[in-house]
Amino acid sequence: MEAPQYVAARVQQALAEDGRTHELGIRVDIRGDQLFLRGQVSGAQQRLRLGEVAHETAPDLHVHNEIKVVEAHEPGEDEHLD
Amino acid sequence: MSTLTDLRIAAVGDIHLGEDVRGQYRQRLAGIEDRADVFMLAGDLTRHGTLEEGRLVADELRGLPIPVVAVLGNHDYHSDLQYEIAAELRDAGVVVLDDEGVVIQCGDRKLGVVGGKGFGGGFAGKCASEFGEREIKNFVSHTRYIAEAWKVALKEIVADERVVLSHYSPIKETLEGEPHEIYPFLGSYLLAEAVDTAGADLILHGHAHKGSEKGMTPGGIRVRNVAMPVLGKAYAVYCLTCDPGCA
Ligand SMILES: [Fe+2]
Ligand SMILES: [Fe+2]
């Protein structure tokens, strides 16, 4: 069986290089037959696409998509630099 | 407390817009003219750097009531359409900096903005150098070329305040939260060294989504990582207080 570290690395590369996602900085962890995705993206569809690409790259694993969608909240306090 | 001589800079990076979120970011910019005098974008405006995404970003930024200055990020370069994307943004009234400077008149004050995408290479003591294979030399010399261009532009610009706008980070502090192993791909100390040599009041950057907001160059210039995932809001506002005697 292939070491989980190599599978995780391949999934991470796919998320960065696949034309549907191009998302860097997503953390991929594998425990047994479970694959966990963590990180932040700018939209709900991007989150779904990342889950799809991960599933296609490692079809034997169960994908847990724990990626968060960044909300652009109202700007808060100003910072004064003096 | 806000005074009349404060120069208010709204800033964000890494908005990574795509078709599925069209119109949403623009909503968050409502009323920005009451909060800030100028809006700065620190690159990674798109996800894949396609022309469609570039046009979408241009639509989101078009016709804002305050001046908008932007640099591109590595994602905006991915499809080799960076010049076309910059042209779309310029058409929409955005000033796009590519290793050069611009002076923005804010009331009675002149704000000088110098910047560009920047690049990586790492930080003093743990960085790549121009040695060995051609590929490594090209990598390091690209950053050196950029740093030199910024230094010259900062020295030449005539303004009351000077801000540097970059995508890549000039320091390590604002990368805290990112894995140490990828620091060389997140920024370069050569950028900070150039800015410390020429002088500036503030450096803004993005790129490090998991980094930290606040840091400082070895020369004491404030650095802010304005990547939207770091800020957790549509933009931050930084107020530069006027130096005594400049008003
Ligand atoms: Fe980014
Ligand atoms: Fe980036």
Side-chain angles (χ1 to χ4, degrees):
Chain A
M1 207 186 94
E2 196 179 7
Q5 287 89 338
Y6 293 126
V7 180
R10 203 167 60 235
V11 171
Q12 201 166 33
Q13 292 282 13
L15 302 178
E17 292 172 7
D18 192 289
R20 289 167 291 171
T21 51
H22 285 318
E23 194 68 52
L24 313 169
I26 297 295
R27 187 171 161 174
V28 180
D29 286 302
I30 294 174
R31 299 284 181 273
D33 61 352
Q34 313 287 307
L35 185 151
F36 299 84
L37 298 177
R38 269 176 279 171
Q40 293 196 327
V41 298
S42 61
Q45 273 188 26
Q46 178 75 346
R47 178 181 180 279
L48 286 178
R49 284 190 293 255
L50 288 159
E52 279 166 27
V53 173
H55 174 70
E56 287 169 23
T57 313
D60 300 334
L61 301 180
H62 180 70
V63 175
H64 298 269
N65 191 343
E66 298 179 354
I67 294 168
K68 275 192 358 192
V69 177
V70 186
E71 297 279 348
H73 291 291
E74 284 288 314
E77 279 272 290
D78 298 357
E79 184 190 352
H80 288 257
L81 303 168
D82 43 23
Chain B
M1 245 232 14
S2 198
T3 65
L4 280 175
T5 55
D6 268 355
L7 214 156
R8 301 165 305 166
I9 298 161
V12 71
D14 303 84
I15 54 177
H16 289 289
L17 299 184
E19 196 55 51
D20 54 324
V21 293
R22 181 185 278 276
Q24 290 178 17
Y25 189 68
R26 177 58 180 232
Q27 279 180 15
R28 290 295 179 200
L29 298 179
I32 192 171
E33 66 275 19
D34 300 325
R35 299 172 188 268
D37 302 300
V38 56
F39 183 34
M40 299 196 192
L41 291 133
D44 274 5
L45 312 178
T46 68
R47 292 175 188 159
H48 315 153
T50 64
L51 202 51
E52 292 72 31
E53 288 178 344
R55 290 197 180 117
L56 187 148
V57 173
D59 287 345
E60 298 277 301
L61 300 175
R62 195 181 308 275
L64 281 179
I66 54 173
V68 182
V69 185
V71 298
L72 300 185
N74 53 321
H75 281 248
D76 310 317
Y77 274 67
H78 180 70
S79 303
D80 288 320
L81 292 169
Q82 58 272 23
Y83 301 114
E84 289 82 354
I85 290 172
E88 292 289 338
L89 292 170
R90 289 186 181 116
D91 261 5
V94 176
V95 176
V96 183
L97 296 178
D98 184 12
D99 302 332
E100 63 208 315
V102 67
V103 176
I104 308 273
Q105 188 74 42
C106 297
D108 58 347
R109 297 169 70 195
K110 287 184 164 58
L111 172 66
V113 191
V114 165
K117 175 180 62 63
F119 201 47
F123 299 90
K126 297 172 180 65
C127 58
S129 42
E130 273 186 74
F131 177 82
E133 298 92 326
R134 178 45 54 197
E135 287 80 0
I136 290 285
K137 287 182 205 146
N138 287 348
F139 185 89
V140 177
S141 70
H142 182 51
T143 312
R144 267 188 213 285
Y145 170 87
I146 289 167
E148 186 60 29
W150 293 5
K151 189 167 76 186
V152 170
L154 278 169
K155 282 183 172 167
E156 285 176 351
I157 210 158
V158 179
D160 300 309
E161 312 285 340
R162 287 175 297 174
V163 172
V164 172
L165 183 60
S166 173
H167 182 60
Y168 286 78
S169 177
I171 60 165
K172 283 190 294 190
E173 270 173 281
T174 47
L175 302 180
E176 252 162 56
E178 295 280 1
H180 287 102
E181 294 88 338
I182 66 167
Y183 277 18
F185 301 107
L186 298 178
S188 165
Y189 82 100
L190 295 172
L191 304 174
E193 190 181 37
V195 179
D196 273 336
T197 304
D201 299 285
L202 174 66
I203 306 176
L204 301 168
H205 76 86
H207 192 45
H209 293 201
K210 287 178 277 193
S212 317
E213 184 188 356
K214 297 176 184 180
M216 200 184 278
T217 65
I221 298 171
R222 250 78 65 93
V223 180
R224 295 292 177 265
N225 175 358
V226 295
M228 200 161 72
V230 171
L231 296 177
K233 53 190 178 186
Y235 54 85
V237 179
Y238 304 106
C239 300
L240 292 179
T241 306
C242 193
D243 293 333
C246 86

